Amino acid sequence: MNSDDRLRQRASRLLSQVATRSDRLINEGLAQADARKWHYAVLASLQDFGPASQAALSKRTGIYRSDMVGVLNELAMRQLVERAPDPDDQRRNVITISTAGRRQLRRLDRVLDVLHDELLAPLDAAERDQLVRLLTRLLDHHDSPGS
């Protein structure tokens, strides 16, 4: 067994290499649409789960709290989200997706559909579904308490 074979048999290495290529493809594609992956994550989270505090959005999206302020500032400047004082705690804001944010999210969904087709080109529909199920299972396992 030569070293190339050994490296290609390590799932961790393969996942890392695919993740690197995926990040590059997605980042470049979203940049062409004047967006970033964190913009998409926040807009999708707000659309799918409803309004949230910065802390809740940080937890939902995996964006560090310290970075979330900048992301929200960018989205607010573009009028893609709205901030309002939380009626239960005036010290924090509730973030809501705006009408323009919903339009942008639909646009970014179309961009990502094309990029994912490019990323997953060698896989048929059933294999793509299987890959997503397997990756979700791995992630859920490692995100569960005690992992």
Side-chain angles (χ1 to χ4, degrees):
M1 174 185 305
N2 67 40
S3 63
D4 186 48
D5 291 338
R6 184 171 307 197
L7 292 174
R8 290 186 64 90
Q9 291 178 16
R10 297 290 178 191
S12 58
R13 180 171 170 85
L14 294 170
L15 285 168
S16 177
Q17 289 181 320
V18 170
T20 298
R21 286 167 177 80
S22 174
D23 277 349
R24 183 174 40 239
L25 177 71
I26 299 304
N27 288 333
E28 290 172 1
L30 287 175
Q32 290 179 2
D34 194 28
R36 297 187 305 131
K37 65 182 177 182
W38 297 130
H39 295 163
Y40 181 81
V42 169
L43 293 174
S45 176
L46 290 171
Q47 180 65 31
D48 292 348
F49 300 103
S53 67
Q54 286 182 198
L57 277 173
S58 179
K59 186 173 182 173
R60 283 185 199 168
T61 61
I63 300 171
Y64 292 116
R65 284 184 183 198
S66 58
D67 296 331
M68 181 60 76
V69 174
V71 173
L72 291 175
N73 286 342
E74 291 172 10
L75 293 171
M77 184 179 69
R78 296 174 185 205
Q79 299 180 339
L80 301 177
V81 299
E82 298 166 353
R83 289 180 171 136
D86 185 335
D88 297 327
D89 184 348
Q90 294 295 313
R91 295 171 295 170
R92 69 179 182 189
N93 287 321
V94 173
I95 314 302
T96 306
I97 190 170
S98 68
T99 301
R102 283 190 288 281
R103 279 194 304 271
Q104 174 72 342
L105 180 60
R106 286 190 300 271
R107 181 174 163 249
L108 295 179
D109 276 333
R110 290 189 299 271
V111 168
L112 285 172
D113 287 346
V114 170
L115 294 170
H116 285 148
D117 282 345
E118 184 178 337
L119 177 68
L120 302 174
L123 305 178
D124 65 30
E127 290 170 324
R128 291 176 186 200
D129 290 344
Q130 181 181 21
L131 177 64
V132 169
R133 281 192 310 276
L134 291 170
L135 291 173
T136 300
R137 196 163 114 203
L138 283 170
L139 187 59
D140 289 349
H141 170 78
H142 290 289
D143 279 350
S144 67
S147 292

